[in-house]
């Protein structure tokens, strides 16, 4: 994609809307809606890198009823012609077509490469990558198992969604709170993953979420790893203006 003059690419991750409760989440939801209204003025594209919801599961005819305003805003922006790309996170990985069919937003379950103005990006949520995150890697094998997903869909949504949201908040392996500490540049597993990726292919920017820590770390010659932080305490986002990438904090 060649970014038109005056346009930008925006990146956001880890909103965890609905946590710890729907009521407590509403101020963060309103703040995120304000951000969407701001960026739609000059967005060439928007990348949402997972964990938009603290829990999401698509039954055959049912989706969680909360965050309708966010879904409506995303549909409005997609309908206006702004490309929006969604990468599932470890909290909202059970997406089976709703975003594509109802909102017109493509959904990715694995990291993808993109090129903007000659700059190569490697983009994803970040869960399960690199040498760390071992507890979650084991858990993800269960969550992505087709048989387990088939079993879960037979639980009535009132019970299934309530139970899943409870464990989503309480289990630190799922929430990521256990790892939300800077490990040092040499020990950050997503930075290590980026360095290994560079051994076979060059990327100018690696952009991930999941860690809940805003970071900008060099990982190779002319290559930088960015972590977007979160929308729980950080309210950080990434922006690429066609030549450089940077992190910013949203203040309404």
């Amino acid at each position: 994609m060649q970014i038109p003059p005056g346009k930008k690419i925006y990146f956001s991750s880890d909103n965890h809307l609905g946590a710890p409760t729907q009521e407590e989440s509403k101020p963060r939801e309103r703040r995120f809606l304000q951000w969407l209204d701001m960026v739609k003025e000059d967005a060439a594209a928007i990348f949402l890198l997972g964990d938009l919801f603290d829990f999401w599961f698509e039954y055959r005819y049912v989706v969680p009823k909360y965050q309708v305003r966010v879904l409506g805003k995303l549909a409005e922006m997609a309908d206006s012609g702004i490309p929006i790309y969604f990468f599932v996170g470890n909290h909202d990985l059970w997406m089976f077509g709703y975003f594509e069919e109802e909102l017109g937003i493509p959904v990715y379950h694995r990291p993808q490469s993109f090129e903007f103005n000659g700059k190569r990006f490697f983009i994803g949520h970040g869960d399960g990558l690199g040498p760390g995150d071992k507890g979650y890697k084991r858990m993800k094998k269960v969550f992505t198992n087709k048989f387990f997903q088939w079993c879960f869909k037979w639980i009535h949504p009132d019970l299934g969604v309530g139970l899943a949201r409870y464990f989503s908040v309480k289990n630190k392996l799922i929430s990521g709170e256990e790892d939300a500490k800077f490990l040092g540049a040499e020990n950050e597993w997503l930075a290590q993953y980026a360095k290994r990726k560079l051994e076979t292919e060059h990327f100018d920017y690696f952009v991930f979420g999941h860690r809940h820590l805003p970071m900008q770390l060099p990982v190779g010659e002319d290559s930088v790893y960015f972590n977007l932080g979160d929308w729980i305490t950080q309210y950080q986002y990434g922006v690429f203006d066609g030549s450089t990438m940077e992190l910013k904090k949203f203040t309404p």
Side-chain angles (χ1 to χ4, degrees), residues 93-166:
L93 57 83
W94 284 342
M95 290 194 165
F96 307 123
Y98 181 82
F99 266 47
E100 295 97 329
E101 296 165 8
E102 297 297 326
L103 308 181
I105 296 174
V107 172
Y108 301 96
H109 291 261
R110 294 180 179 84
Q112 302 288 323
S113 60
F114 294 83
E115 185 171 321
F116 305 113
N117 288 24
K119 300 289 187 179
R120 299 200 68 214
F121 286 72
F122 194 75
I123 300 169
H125 181 62
D127 59 312
L129 302 179
D133 229 358
K134 293 180 179 179
Y136 171 68
K137 285 177 181 177
R138 291 190 293 269
M139 196 172 291
K140 187 174 183 178
K141 290 181 179 179
V142 176
F143 289 167
T144 56
N145 182 275
K146 296 296 184 182
F147 177 73
F148 178 77
Q149 293 173 357
W150 179 83
C151 291
F152 187 85
K153 78 175 185 177
W154 291 107
I155 302 174
H156 190 281
D158 286 352
L159 177 60
V161 173
L163 188 66
R165 291 182 67 187
Y166 172 80

Side-chain angles (χ1 to χ4, degrees), residues 20-21 28 44 76-77 85 105 124 126 135 142 146 148 160-161 175-176 183 191 196 199 210 233 239 252:
T21 66
R28 294 189 290 110
E76 170 197 317
M77 295 172 71
Y85 304 89
I105 296 174
V142 176
K146 296 296 184 182
F148 178 77
V161 173
S175 69
L183 304 176
R196 287 205 299 270
E199 293 175 4
H210 186 56
T233 59
V239 57

Side-chain angles (χ1 to χ4, degrees), residues 17 30 66 89 108 110 118 143 153 167 205 212 233 240:
L17 298 175
R30 287 193 291 268
Y66 45 85
Y108 301 96
R110 294 180 179 84
F143 289 167
K153 78 175 185 177
F167 282 110
Y205 300 111
H212 289 223
T233 59
F240 177 66

Side-chain angles (χ1 to χ4, degrees), residues 24-232:
E24 292 177 81
S25 171
K26 282 183 178 179
R28 294 189 290 110
E29 179 187 25
R30 287 193 291 268
R31 193 165 182 169
F32 182 59
L33 288 168
Q34 290 176 313
W35 179 78
L36 289 174
D37 277 330
M38 179 192 78
V39 303
K40 73 180 183 183
E41 299 301 324
D42 62 357
I46 297 172
F47 285 79
L48 303 177
L49 302 194
D51 288 355
L52 176 62
F53 311 109
D54 200 59
F55 173 74
W56 179 270
F57 187 90
E58 295 174 17
Y59 294 84
R60 186 174 182 182
Y61 298 113
V62 176
V63 296
K65 70 176 184 179
Y66 45 85
Q67 274 76 63
V68 65
R69 291 172 181 81
V70 169
L71 295 174
K73 178 61 68 176
L74 293 176
E76 170 197 317
M77 295 172 71
D79 288 346
S80 73
I82 299 173
I84 301 175
Y85 304 89
F86 191 93
F87 288 76
V88 303
N90 45 304
H91 284 250
D92 44 24
L93 57 83
W94 284 342
M95 290 194 165
F96 307 123
Y98 181 82
F99 266 47
E100 295 97 329
E101 296 165 8
E102 297 297 326
L103 308 181
I105 296 174
V107 172
Y108 301 96
H109 291 261
R110 294 180 179 84
Q112 302 288 323
S113 60
F114 294 83
E115 185 171 321
F116 305 113
N117 288 24
K119 300 289 187 179
R120 299 200 68 214
F121 286 72
F122 194 75
I123 300 169
H125 181 62
D127 59 312
L129 302 179
D133 229 358
K134 293 180 179 179
Y136 171 68
K137 285 177 181 177
R138 291 190 293 269
M139 196 172 291
K140 187 174 183 178
K141 290 181 179 179
V142 176
F143 289 167
T144 56
N145 182 275
K146 296 296 184 182
F147 177 73
F148 178 77
Q149 293 173 357
W150 179 83
C151 291
F152 187 85
K153 78 175 185 177
W154 291 107
I155 302 174
H156 190 281
D158 286 352
L159 177 60
V161 173
L163 188 66
R165 291 182 67 187
Y166 172 80
F167 282 110
S168 182
V169 172
K170 294 296 183 182
N171 192 321
K172 291 186 178 182
L173 280 177
I174 302 175
S175 69
E177 290 180 11
E178 186 176 78
D179 297 317
K181 300 174 184 176
F182 184 61
L183 304 176
E186 69 283 359
N187 295 318
E188 282 292 334
W189 62 76
L190 286 173
Q192 296 303 313
Y193 173 84
K195 289 179 180 179
R196 287 205 299 270
K197 190 78 175 172
L198 288 170
E199 293 175 4
T200 57
E201 191 174 6
H202 175 74
F203 291 95
D204 297 279
Y205 300 111
F206 293 84
V207 187
F208 296 117
H210 186 56
R211 288 287 283 115
H212 289 223
L213 291 171
M215 282 183 266
Q216 179 178 342
L217 300 174
V219 289
E221 186 176 353
D222 300 321
S223 185
V224 182
Y225 154 60
F226 283 89
N227 198 283
L228 299 174
D230 64 30
W231 281 73
I232 300 173

